[in-house]
Amino acid sequence: MFQHTALRYTALILLAVGAFTQAVTAGYFGLEILTEILLLAMLVLALDMVAGFGGMVSLCHGALMGVGAYAYAILTTKAGIAPPVALGGAIAITGAAAWVIGAIGARSHGIYFIMATLAFGQMAYSYVFEAPFFGGDDGMGGIPRIDLSLLGIDLNDSRSFALFCLVLLGATYGAAVLILRSGLGRSLTGVMHNEQRMRALGLTVWRVKADVFGLSGMIAGFAGALSAQHVMYISPGLLGWTVSGEALVVVILGGLGTLVGPMIGAAAFVILKHEVSNVTSYWHLVVGVLLIAVVMSRANGIFGWIEARWGARLERRLSDLTRKTDAEEITTDA
Amino acid sequence: MLETRNLDKSFGAVHVTRNVSLKLERGERRVILGPNGAGKTTLFNLLVGELTPNSGSVLLAGEDVTALPVAKRARRGLSRSYQKNTLFDGLTVEENLGLAAAIHTGAGTRLWGDSLATPEVREIVAEVAEQVRLMPYLHAKVSEVSYGVRRQFEVGVALATRPLVLLMDEPTSGVGPEMAKGFHDLLNDLPRDLTLLIIEHDMDLAFDVADTITVLNYGEVVFDGLPEEARGSTLLKEIYLGSWEDA
C-alpha cells in the first residue's frame, strides 16, 4: 500500500523546489523542456497507479493521453466549447474510454493484459490516423490554451504555462495519493497481492480494476489535454504505442509503485534525451543501456536504489532526532 | 444454513464429487474427514463457487446460490480459509484484516477516505484480532510472524467478513501439537451462531470441535453422523480411522 516516508517527502520537496526554480529562472528552451517533463510526469503517475499498485501493466496509456488531447482539440476547435469546459470533457471522455478498457482487460493478467491494452491503443491510433474528422496524418492545429487573464495570468507565456503545469502536477499527485489511500486503492493493492483471495472475501475484482483504470485514464487524459495546449498542435503519433512504451520505460527507470520514482524517471528521461541527442542521434541506445543497468541492478529503478541505500538510514536519523527532542523536552519539563 | 443437493463434479473421466448432499443447521460445527484425494477441497471449491458443479445445487440460508460467482456468495455470508496461507505478505496483520473488513462494510470500494480508518472497520479488526489471538501482532508484517500465527491469521481474514458460514480447509495444517491445541480453544470460542464446516486431519481437533462428522471417500459421502458414532464405525476404521486407532 502507498505510504509516504521521510525520504519520499524529501524527494518531493527537492523535485518541487528544482522545478519551481527552473520555472522562474530558465529561458525559453529550458521552460519547454520543463513543461515536457511535467506533462510526462503526469502521464507516468497515471501509469504507476495501475501498474505499480494494481499489477496492470498498460501499453495504452499513450493512446489514452492521445484521446485526451484529441477530445480537447475537437471540443475547442470544432465544437466551439470554452477551454475549461472542454478540459473537463476531455478528462471525462478519456476516463470513460479507460474504464471500458479496464473492464474488458480486467479478466486477463500479465502478458495477456499487456497485449490487450496494446491492441486497444493501436486500434485508437489506426482510427485517428485514418479518419479525416481527426485530421488524419496531418493532425490538428490551432488548439487554444485556457484563458486565465481574469486572474492576471497569461498562459500563452511559456513561464506561466510551465508554472501552471507544475501546480496541476502537484494537484494530480495529491489526487493519486488520495485514490491509492482510499478503500478503492487499498482493495486494488489487495488484488495485486492475491486476486483469488480478494474475490473469496467478496470483492468484485473486475470492477475495482476498471474503476482505478478509469481514474488513471482521467489523469492520462488530463496530461493529454495539457499537452495539446502546450504544443497547440496534435498528431496521431501521440497515440502510438511508442509513447506508451516510453512511459513504461520511465516508470521502471524511476521506480515502479513509488509514485515519486516515476516523476524522477520523467525528469531523468527527458534531460537525458535532450542532452544525449545534442551529442548523437542514437540517444535511444544510451537510454536502453541505462534501462538494462537499472533492471540488472535488481533495484526498483533510480528511486528504489535511493530508498534501498538511504531510506532506512534517514528514517533512523529522524527517529533518533525525535527521541533526542523528546528527551530534551522531558528534561526541560523536569 | 448451508445445504448441498446431489452435488456432482468430474474432471474428464475422473469423478471427484459424487452425488453429495449435506445439510448444516445454523451454528452447527461439522468436520469433514477423508483420506487424501477424497474430494474434500473440491467440495469446498464447489461450495464457494471456485468450481462449477456438473449437476446439483448449493443453498445458502435457503437461497440457491449455485449460479452465483465467488464474490457474491462471499457477500451473502459464505467465507473460507485456505489450506495454504493466502495472506497479503507485504502488509501488516491490521491491514490484512482491514482489507477483508472493508469489503464487508463496503468501504473497500469507496473512493474517498481511508477504509482502514472507518469506525466499523476498526471495530471488526479489533474484534477479530481478539477472537483469533492476533492482538500482539497487529502491527507486524505478515512475513514477520511465525507459520502457526499465520494459520490463525488465515482464519482471521475469513472471519473479518463477518460470515454466516465459515469453511476452513485444514486450519491446523503444518502446525505443532501445542499450537493445534490453541486452535481447538480458538474454534470453541467462536460465536455459537456461526456455522463451521472444517476439513481436518487432526482427529483430536475433529472430535473436540465437531457437532457432526461427514466422511468422504472417492468423492462420496460414506458417513454422516455424530462424533461418537464415527468413533465406533467399522467402515471408517477401514477407510480412514484405522491408522488413528492403531496409533
Side-chain angles (χ1 to χ4, degrees):
Chain A
M1 287 190 192
F2 181 78
Q3 279 179 330
H4 267 129
T5 59
L7 187 65
R8 288 183 184 185
Y9 277 125
T10 310
L12 274 176
I13 292 166
L14 289 176
L15 277 177
V17 168
F20 182 76
T21 310
Q22 180 75 359
V24 293
T25 59
Y28 174 76
F29 189 63
L31 288 169
E32 289 302 300
I33 289 178
L34 175 64
T35 309
E36 192 182 337
I37 291 171
L38 296 172
L39 296 176
L40 180 60
M42 204 178 276
L43 175 66
V44 295
L45 264 184
L47 181 56
D48 196 30
M49 269 175 68
V50 290
F53 297 89
M56 293 185 280
V57 179
S58 160
L59 268 184
C60 72
H61 265 60
L64 290 173
M65 189 182 184
V67 168
Y70 268 91
Y72 178 80
I74 287 162
L75 290 174
T76 49
T77 61
K78 296 206 174 186
I81 293 171
V85 181
L87 180 64
I91 292 169
I93 289 167
T94 319
W99 191 92
V100 172
I101 295 171
I104 295 171
R107 286 170 179 84
S108 59
H109 303 92
I111 190 75
Y112 301 102
F113 182 83
I114 296 173
M115 288 300 111
T117 52
L118 176 65
F120 276 115
Q122 285 305 94
M123 279 159 62
Y125 167 77
S126 305
Y127 183 70
V128 169
F129 190 86
E130 298 294 339
F133 180 73
F134 295 107
D137 192 15
D138 295 334
M140 294 173 72
I143 302 162
R145 288 183 180 178
I146 286 178
D147 184 8
L148 292 181
S149 55
L150 274 175
L151 302 172
I153 300 167
D154 177 15
L155 285 186
N156 288 315
D157 171 55
S158 296
R159 197 174 311 283
S160 302
F161 192 75
L163 282 165
F164 179 62
C165 288
L166 178 60
V167 170
L168 293 179
L169 176 63
T172 306
Y173 178 83
V177 170
L178 285 178
I179 292 167
L180 292 171
R181 281 187 175 171
S182 71
L184 188 70
R186 286 188 185 275
S187 292
L188 181 76
T189 310
V191 168
M192 185 171 77
H193 278 82
N194 194 332
E195 187 170 322
Q196 184 195 14
R197 181 57 152 163
M198 289 300 276
R199 199 174 280 121
L201 291 170
L203 189 77
T204 308
V205 168
W206 74 264
R207 184 65 198 269
V208 167
K209 285 183 168 181
D211 285 354
V212 182
F213 206 82
L215 290 165
S216 167
M218 288 172 83
I219 295 176
F222 190 27
L226 289 174
S227 178
Q229 293 178 56
H230 177 219
V231 192
M232 296 174 167
Y233 162 79
I234 50 173
S235 70
L238 198 56
L239 290 92
W241 76 271
T242 51
V243 179
S244 303
E246 269 184 10
L248 193 56
V249 165
V250 168
V251 169
I252 295 167
L253 192 67
L256 183 73
T258 60
L259 285 191
V260 184
M263 294 198 292
I264 295 173
F269 183 84
V270 174
I271 292 168
L272 201 70
K273 181 171 83 172
H274 285 286
E275 292 304 318
V276 179
S277 61
N278 282 340
V279 182
T280 168
S281 55
Y282 298 109
W283 67 271
H284 277 107
L285 281 178
V286 179
V287 174
V289 169
L290 186 66
L291 187 67
I292 290 167
V294 166
V295 172
M296 295 298 283
S297 74
R298 295 188 179 202
N300 181 21
I302 298 168
F303 191 67
W305 181 78
I306 293 170
E307 276 194 322
R309 203 169 164 81
W310 289 301
R313 208 180 298 173
L314 187 65
E315 294 292 338
R316 230 181 0 257
R317 284 223 176 135
L318 280 173
S319 136
D320 287 349
L321 200 68
T322 316
R323 263 203 302 274
K324 209 172 163 185
T325 316
D326 288 348
E328 277 169 9
E329 274 176 13
I330 290 165
T331 314
T332 315
D333 291 347
Chain B
M1 182 54 67
L2 180 67
E3 191 179 346
T4 66
R5 290 181 186 161
N6 310 110
L7 216 52
D8 221 82
K9 178 71 185 173
S10 299
F11 295 108
V14 185
H15 207 163
V16 285
T17 305
R18 296 165 187 263
N19 205 30
V20 171
S21 295
L22 298 172
K23 192 169 183 181
L24 278 86
E25 299 300 335
R26 186 168 185 234
E28 185 178 334
R29 291 165 179 205
R30 183 175 301 211
V31 171
I32 296 185
L33 300 174
N36 287 334
K40 303 184 295 294
T41 299
T42 303
L43 177 63
F44 265 29
N45 291 338
L46 290 167
L47 289 173
V48 298
E50 285 175 9
L51 287 175
T52 310
N54 296 108
S55 61
S57 53
V58 178
L59 284 85
L60 178 66
E63 185 195 357
D64 191 338
V65 295
T66 319
L68 292 184
V70 179
K72 281 193 177 168
R73 291 190 203 196
R75 286 203 293 275
R76 277 172 166 72
L78 192 57
S79 191
R80 79 171 288 185
S81 69
Y82 289 81
Q83 192 177 346
K84 286 182 181 167
N85 292 329
T86 55
L87 304 162
F88 311 107
D89 281 350
L91 310 182
T92 64
V93 170
E94 188 181 28
E95 286 169 337
N96 267 267
L97 295 176
L99 270 178
I103 294 169
H104 172 70
T105 63
T109 48
R110 271 182 224 144
L111 184 55
W112 302 112
D114 184 349
S115 54
L116 300 190
T118 63
E120 304 101 301
V121 170
R122 290 173 80 96
E123 190 188 317
I124 294 175
V125 169
E127 191 183 306
V128 171
E130 195 72 53
Q131 280 177 333
V132 294
R133 283 85 157 143
L134 283 173
M135 277 311 238
Y137 310 102
L138 219 47
H139 302 295
K141 283 199 172 173
V142 176
S143 51
E144 293 164 1
V145 299
S146 71
Y147 177 78
V149 173
R150 283 188 219 183
R151 292 305 294 157
Q152 285 169 232
F153 188 15
E154 174 74 24
V155 174
V157 170
L159 270 175
T161 59
R162 292 255 165 102
L164 299 171
V165 181
L166 176 59
L167 314 181
M168 285 184 266
D169 195 348
E170 296 194 32
T172 61
S173 160
V175 305
E178 205 169 305
M179 201 98 194
K181 175 71 184 73
F183 242 104
H184 296 204
D185 299 338
L186 188 155
L187 295 179
N188 281 321
D189 288 347
L190 289 177
R192 266 317 305 193
D193 60 346
L194 176 65
T195 308
L196 300 179
L197 185 60
I198 309 166
I199 294 175
E200 191 50 70
H201 282 299
D202 179 345
M203 290 301 158
D204 290 333
L205 183 136
F207 289 119
D208 184 26
V209 173
D211 297 327
T212 47
I213 285 182
T214 295
V215 181
L216 288 180
N217 197 26
Y218 295 109
E220 202 171 6
V221 175
V222 293
F223 177 86
D224 206 3
L226 299 170
E228 46 272 28
E229 292 169 351
R231 279 183 194 275
S233 164
T234 321
L235 175 68
L236 289 194
K237 282 177 190 163
E238 277 173 22
I239 65 162
Y240 191 83
L241 296 177
S243 56
W244 167 72
E245 282 281 311
D246 297 340

